[in-house]
């Protein structure tokens, strides 16, 4: 059955040619997804399946969508963040591949949700989410659509947290694979992808020199570790703030200064929140920051920085010296610069993660979707991990693409590892 809604909303279809070239460029460093796409084209595991996807509309996502359509899926796509859409990519998918794309960079809150609703109205049988806004919209506004959905995938930490909360409350109605939890996702995407692209976003937004700066990283999870490591590599002095004693200890032993935000606020030149939590940078922190401090977020939602407090402290007095910089003029003469409206800075001001890392994340997405389709009806409504065979297969394919070979267990080693008899 074809979708009931076939309209689209993209900024400018004439941008398709630029999108075509950039998507092909990204494909060159996505060999794992490319191999999966070729197999899907032959085997058609998604023949006739309607997929609703709420993902960052980037060149890498386009390659995932092309893998799904090669496998026979009919895809409707909207953005998972109002600022992360690459308009040329949206145009290319709509023009060349007839994908129902509803995404425009800079869309306001109402249009963002109307785009998600447009995807829901295509009656997806499979959902792909990044942050869980699509599933939440279906659950709260279109519960009648749930019956037709066989499964879904979730890309990021924050989305998985929301899904687990739904599972706990008993409102999750179909199985969803937590792609984020695959080792070949978070060890690489969250750490190296977010690590590099967050600094890229801050530099593109401001052209700031990182060497010699004090950079405060709030949250030492997978993303925070990557950002701290890359910032140190660029010559910055890194301060970590945490609420988890184990992560804080790890940061201290990794050689970073660890302290509460109340202390870090006085010392930092650049602040990056990446906790998945809300209200991490608040009025009390802004009050003790140095003049000219740069404040950015790379966590999923724009709730980590209390923007209302900045508006209050400045009484709305602000300028926009560069595209992604809002310079708040505080009453006491100091300024604080908010980058990318507090939204994911790597996607707002830069291009998100490099394709080479998204290759693994989206290979997991594609294979997890195939797994759920093959096992339709057999898995109860729950948040499930990416099967270990898929995770290992993605690692194996990526190593092969990188021309890296590794050792194999000898028969003796295999026996040794499986036995408890041999000791000293
Ligand atoms: N920018 C991107 O492209 C991108 C990519 C992947 C994930 N994310 C998002 O980034 C966020 C973090 O993801 P992650 O995988 O690192 O999660 P994680 O769970 O591994 O790490 C989050 C860390 O933040 C800490 N934390 C929580 N509240 C805090 C507070 N008030 N102050 C200091 N630390 C606090 C937690 O203890 C934890 O160690 C999530 O919202 C995730 O969805 C963004």
């Amino acid at each position: 059955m074809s979708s009931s809604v076939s309209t689209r909303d993209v900024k400018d279809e004439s941008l398709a040619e630029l999108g075509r070239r950039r998507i092909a460029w990204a494909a060159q460093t996505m060999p794992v997804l490319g191999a999966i796409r070729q197999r899907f084209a032959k085997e058609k595991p998604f023949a006739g399946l309607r997929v609703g996807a709420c993902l960052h509309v980037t060149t890498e996502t386009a390659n995932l969508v092309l893998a799904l359509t090669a496998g026979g899926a009919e895809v409707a796509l909207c953005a998972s963040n109002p600022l992360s859409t690459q308009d040329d990519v949206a145009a290319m998918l709509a023009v060349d591949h007839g994908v129902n794309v509803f995404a425009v960079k800079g869309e306001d809150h109402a249009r963002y949700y109307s785009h998600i609703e447009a995807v829901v109205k295509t009656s997806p049988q499979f959902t792909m989410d990044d942050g869980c806004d699509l599933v939440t919209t279906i659950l709260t506004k279109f519960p009648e659509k749930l019956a037709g959905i066989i499964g879904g995938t979730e890309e990021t930490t924050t989305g998985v947290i929301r899904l687990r909360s739904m599972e706990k409350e008993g409102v999750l109605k179909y199985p969803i694979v937590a792609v984020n939890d695959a080792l070949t996702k978070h060890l690489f995407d969250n750490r190296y992808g977010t690590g590099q692209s967050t600094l890229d976003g801050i530099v593109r937004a401001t052209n700031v020199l990182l060497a010699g700066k004090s950079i405060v990283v709030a949250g030492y999870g997978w993303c925070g570790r990557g950002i701290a490591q890359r910032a140190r590599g660029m010559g910055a002095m890194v301060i970590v703030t945490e609420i988890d004693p184990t992560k804080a200890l790890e940061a201290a032993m990794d050689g970073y200064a660890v302290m509460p935000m109340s202390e870090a606020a006085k010392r930092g030149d650049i602040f990056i929140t990446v906790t998945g939590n809300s209200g991490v940078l608040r009025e009390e922190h802004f009050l003790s920051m140095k003049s000219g401090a740069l404040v950015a977020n790379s966590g999923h939602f724009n709730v980590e920085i209390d923007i209302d407090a900045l508006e209050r402290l400045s009484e709305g007095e602000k300028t926009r010296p560069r595209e992604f910089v809002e310079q708040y003029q505080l009453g006491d003469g100091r300024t604080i610069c908010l980058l990318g409206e507090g939204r994911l800075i790597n996607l707002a001001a830069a291009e998100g993660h490099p394709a080479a890392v998204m290759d693994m994340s989206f290979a997991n997405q594609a294979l997890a979707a195939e797994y759920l389709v093959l096992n339709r009806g057999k898995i109860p409504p729950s948040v499930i991990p990416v099967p270990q065979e898929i995770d290992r297969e993605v690692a194996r394919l990526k190593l092969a693409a990188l021309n890296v070979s590794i050792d194999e267990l000898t028969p003796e080693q295999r026996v040794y590892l499986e036995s408890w008899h041999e000791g000293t």
Side-chain angles (χ1 to χ4, degrees), residues 156-158 190 194 221-223 242 247 276-277 298 300 346 353:
T156 198
T157 316
T158 286
N190 301 31
T194 314
W222 290 107
C223 296
E242 252 297 342
K247 304 277 181 61
N277 206 342
S298 217
H300 190 77
N346 59 333
H353 296 169

Side-chain angles (χ1 to χ4, degrees), residues 56 156-159 161 180 185-186 189-190 194 197-198 218-225 241-244 247 274-278 280 298-301 304 344-347 353:
H56 300 297
T156 198
T157 316
T158 286
I161 291 171
N180 183 72
K185 198 281 184 181
H186 65 259
D189 170 314
N190 301 31
T194 314
S197 62
T198 296
Y220 201 64
W222 290 107
C223 296
R225 288 182 184 101
T241 71
E242 252 297 342
I243 46 97
D244 179 318
K247 304 277 181 61
V274 69
T275 68
N277 206 342
S278 68
V280 179
S298 217
H300 190 77
F301 288 119
E304 304 212 13
L344 300 155
I345 191 62
N346 59 333
L347 281 142
H353 296 169

Side-chain angles (χ1 to χ4, degrees), residues 371-424:
Y371 171 81
L372 277 184
V373 169
L374 288 174
N375 288 285
R376 72 171 79 187
K378 294 189 198 148
I379 303 169
S382 50
V383 182
I384 60 166
V386 172
Q388 213 184 38
E389 317 82 77
I390 291 182
D391 211 348
R392 291 175 76 85
E393 173 69 359
V394 171
R396 204 183 57 72
L397 290 171
K398 190 70 178 176
L399 279 174
L402 293 171
N403 239 341
V404 176
S405 19
I406 59 172
D407 285 325
E408 278 180 31
L409 286 174
T410 63
E412 294 76 21
Q413 286 170 339
R414 199 176 293 279
V415 170
Y416 177 79
L417 289 177
E418 284 168 4
S419 144
W420 56 271
H421 295 281
E422 274 187 61
T424 33

Side-chain angles (χ1 to χ4, degrees), residues 21 62 106 138 229 265 278 311 314 347 394 403:
R21 279 185 273 134
I138 295 172
Q229 192 182 41
S278 68
E311 292 283 343
S314 64
L347 281 142
V394 171
N403 239 341

Side-chain angles (χ1 to χ4, degrees), residues 244-300:
D244 179 318
T246 318
K247 304 277 181 61
L249 183 59
E250 185 186 357
M253 294 221 179
D254 284 345
Y256 301 109
V258 179
M259 61 189 76
M261 186 58 89
S262 53
E263 192 52 40
K266 298 178 208 154
R267 305 201 195 176
D269 300 303
I270 302 172
F271 294 81
I272 305 166
T273 54
V274 69
T275 68
N277 206 342
S278 68
V280 179
L281 279 176
R282 306 180 293 270
E283 179 163 338
E284 68 210 68
H285 305 128
F286 299 136
L287 284 172
S288 57
M289 281 182 190
K290 296 179 199 170
S291 185
L294 304 179
V295 175
N297 168 53
S298 217
H300 190 77

